[in-house]
């Protein structure tokens, strides 16, 4: 008995000291690198509280290497992004049901429905073949929110009918069918449909609508919702604005969306996508630096006691930092490469190598706020659907079978 008690006490003491030792070691490292002292994990509000609001930030192709590269580009040091200070971290596996590497259609559909698809298929049952016939629709987090009377919004720097934003409000066997996808925002299956819709893609969506025998103007007239070309066109009294522009200012759009969604007494669900593909490494990494600054602005604005903030990517991308030293330019050689106007799949800079393709490794999930404590460990991307639903305390319907 004494031997067992002694063994228990040794384990207890060792377990108690381990975090302290870790902090001490971190302090030693930080003394050697004074700049690291500015990056500390953010405080997490009280746990166990239900969320009133959920905001999902999606960096398209913003995998772990891109997060690291963005921190180096923006601040000259690792782990300087605001989201890298959030207290909860997990790794999300993104594959579709029949392959190892995901596109945005499966990647986002899996997150917002809890059901993996095939690449190219948007929020439909797993067996749906791309481009052959529609499968059964899978219910999205946005649709659950609409059914319960919350306000909802989708903001993107990309086409509002592209795979990532569309997975929230539409269902299609082919992500390329913008002319069929976009009108679904005006024919919701639940509630009155997405309340705030801001994105790009005006020309491409308009062309497909015309080919289908309609137009943006006709769609707006039929449903009594103007489809503006710019944020500036939104009227002061508009409660459910739609903007489909040639481009979209993500910061202005997100803050405008919050101005509207925060009026909801029942809460809201907001999705914000910012492209982080690093085909052009400077552009992609800078996008993520700017996205992180926007997220920090939103974080300071909301009440984390009743709001869950999630950051993740739909899939990873073939960027790696394989050289460089502190004080040196991360993207040395970029201007020379850019001047060549090269379309080769491989981009070779002095310190950065880019294979311009999606990759299959896990992506980071970072979380703070109400319900964030559920984000930890390795998990499939479908688990994020559960995280969001559980944050509200909602029970999902049974998923459709093929």
């Amino acid at each position: 008995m004494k031997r067992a008690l002694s063994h228990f006490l040794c384990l207890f003491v060792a377990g108690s000291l381990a975090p302290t030792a870790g902090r001490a070691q971190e302090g030693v490292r930080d003394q050697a690198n004074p700049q690291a002292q500015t990056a500390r994990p953010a405080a997490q509000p009280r746990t166990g509280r239900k969320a009133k609001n959920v905001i999902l930030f999606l960096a398209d192709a913003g995998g772990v290497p891109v997060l690291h590269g963005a921190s180096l580009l923006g601040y000259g040091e690792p782990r300087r992004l605001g989201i890298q200070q959030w207290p909860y971290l997990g790794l999300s596996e993104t594959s579709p049901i029949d392959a190892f590497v995901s596109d945005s259609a499966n990647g986002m559909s899996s997150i917002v429905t809890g059901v993996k698809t095939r690449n190219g298929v948007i929020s439909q049952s797993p067996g749906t073949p791309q481009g052959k016939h529609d499968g059964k629709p899978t219910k999205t987090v946005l649709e659950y929110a609409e059914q319960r009377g919350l306000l909802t919004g989708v903001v993107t720097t990309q086409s509002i009918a592209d795979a990532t934003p569309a997975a929230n409000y539409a269902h299609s066997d082919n992500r390329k069918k913008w002319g069929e996808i976009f009108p679904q925002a005006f024919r919701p299956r639940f509630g009155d449909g997405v309340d705030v819709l801001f994105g790009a893609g005006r020309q491409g969506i308009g062309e497909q609508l015309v080919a289908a025998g309609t137009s943006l103007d006709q769609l707006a007239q039929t449903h009594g919702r103007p489809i503006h070309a710019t944020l500036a066109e939104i009227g002061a009294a508009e409660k459910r604005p739609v903007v489909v522009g040639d481009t979209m200012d993500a910061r202005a759009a997100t803050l405008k969306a919050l101005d509207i969604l925060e009026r909801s007494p029942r809460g809201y669900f907001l999705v914000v996508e910012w492209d982080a593909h690093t085909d052009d490494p400077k552009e992609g990494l800078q996008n993520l630096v700017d996205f992180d600054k926007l997220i920090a602005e939103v974080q300071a604005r909301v009440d984390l006691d009743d709001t869950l903030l999630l950051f993740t990517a739909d899939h990873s991308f073939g960027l790696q930092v394989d050289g460089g030293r502190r004080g040196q330019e991360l993207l040395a050689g970029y201007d020379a490469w850019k001047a060549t106007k090269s379309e080769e799949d491989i981009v070779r800079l002095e310190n950065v190598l880019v294979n311009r393709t999606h990759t299959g490794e896990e992506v980071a999930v970072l979380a703070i706020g109400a319900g964030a404590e559920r984000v930890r460990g390795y998990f499939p991307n479908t688990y994020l659907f559960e995280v969001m639903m559980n944050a509200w305390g909602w029970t999902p319907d049974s998923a459709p079978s093929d």
Side-chain angles (χ1 to χ4, degrees):
M1 178 67 182
K2 290 181 179 179
R3 183 179 300 174
L5 179 59
S6 175
H7 179 66
F8 170 78
L9 290 173
C10 288
L11 290 174
F12 177 80
V13 171
S16 300
L17 292 178
T20 304
R23 286 193 295 271
Q25 291 173 0
E26 183 176 353
V28 171
R29 289 194 299 270
D30 286 353
Q31 289 174 9
N33 176 17
Q35 288 180 315
Q37 297 178 32
T38 63
R40 294 296 187 211
Q44 166 66 11
R46 291 171 288 173
T47 60
R49 294 176 61 87
K50 288 185 179 180
K52 177 183 178 183
N53 317 302
V54 173
I55 304 177
L56 172 61
F57 298 103
L58 196 290
D60 196 341
V64 172
V66 175
L67 290 175
H68 177 63
S71 181
L72 296 182
L73 178 68
Y75 305 101
E77 286 289 332
R79 58 187 181 85
R80 284 294 175 275
L81 300 178
I83 54 174
Q84 290 175 315
Q85 317 315 313
W86 286 4
Y88 294 100
L89 165 68
L91 289 173
S92 173
E93 188 278 314
T94 65
S95 66
I97 65 166
D98 59 346
F100 294 135
V101 180
S102 183
D103 74 343
S104 294
N106 164 71
M108 191 60 167
S109 297
S110 300
I111 292 169
V112 299
T113 71
V115 180
K116 286 182 179 283
T117 68
R118 300 175 189 269
N119 284 338
V121 177
I122 295 175
S123 298
Q124 291 190 348
S125 50
T128 305
Q130 182 185 4
K132 294 184 178 179
H133 62 78
D134 281 319
K136 295 178 181 178
T138 48
K139 193 171 180 180
T140 72
V141 174
L142 186 146
E143 290 177 325
Y144 280 102
E146 280 290 328
Q147 187 178 39
R148 286 163 172 76
L150 277 67
L151 292 183
T152 61
V154 178
V155 172
T156 179
T157 59
Q158 306 308 104
S159 169
I160 196 64
D162 207 358
T164 303
N168 295 280
Y169 67 82
H171 307 268
S172 177
D173 70 332
N174 192 336
R175 59 177 292 175
K176 297 179 180 179
K177 295 179 178 178
W178 289 4
E180 296 180 14
I181 290 169
F182 181 65
Q184 292 185 49
F186 301 85
R187 301 193 300 268
R189 301 194 310 143
F190 300 93
D192 58 1
V194 58
D195 296 290
V196 178
L197 201 60
F198 297 158
R202 189 174 188 88
Q203 180 177 344
I205 295 170
E207 290 173 352
Q208 288 204 24
L209 289 175
V210 169
T214 184
S215 67
L216 288 168
D217 289 341
Q218 186 173 339
L219 192 64
Q221 185 175 1
T222 299
H223 296 280
R225 282 182 88 177
I227 302 175
H228 303 296
T230 68
L231 293 169
E233 296 176 12
I234 299 174
E238 279 191 73
K239 297 180 179 180
R240 306 184 68 239
V242 178
V243 178
V244 182
D246 296 321
T247 61
M248 185 53 58
D249 181 333
R251 178 181 179 275
T254 300
L255 299 182
K256 179 64 176 178
L258 283 173
D259 288 342
I260 296 168
L261 299 178
E262 286 174 340
R263 302 170 187 165
S264 171
R266 295 188 179 183
Y268 61 81
F269 175 58
L270 173 62
V271 176
V272 182
E273 179 200 18
W274 199 320
D275 182 40
H277 282 84
T278 48
D279 302 76
D280 180 318
K282 185 175 184 179
E283 181 179 311
L285 294 179
Q286 187 61 52
N287 281 349
L288 191 48
V289 172
D290 294 339
F291 196 13
D292 181 67
K293 291 177 180 177
L294 169 61
I295 293 170
E297 195 170 354
V298 172
Q299 179 180 340
R301 174 171 174 163
V302 303
D303 181 356
L304 293 177
D305 281 335
D306 67 6
T307 303
L308 171 63
L309 303 183
L310 281 176
F311 171 90
T312 192
D314 46 359
H315 53 77
S316 194
F317 200 79
L319 175 136
Q320 66 182 50
V321 175
D322 58 2
R325 300 178 65 84
R326 284 180 167 85
Q328 293 182 345
E329 182 183 358
L330 175 67
L331 297 180
Y334 172 82
D335 291 339
W337 167 79
K338 190 71 172 178
T340 68
K341 300 181 180 180
S342 173
E343 296 184 1
E344 295 292 326
D345 289 338
I346 301 298
V347 178
R348 175 71 267 183
L349 306 182
E350 291 184 26
N351 304 318
V352 172
L353 176 68
V354 181
N355 179 13
R356 294 161 127 180
T357 187
H358 295 186
T359 52
E361 70 270 15
E362 292 83 359
V363 300
V365 181
L366 295 143
I368 192 170
E373 66 276 4
R374 296 180 178 90
V375 174
R376 59 187 185 274
Y378 270 77
F379 44 75
N381 52 3
T382 53
Y383 175 67
L384 295 181
F385 171 81
E386 298 178 33
V387 169
M388 291 183 280
M389 294 290 285
N390 285 335
W392 275 305
W394 297 347
T395 301
D397 305 337
S398 58
S401 58
D402 288 315

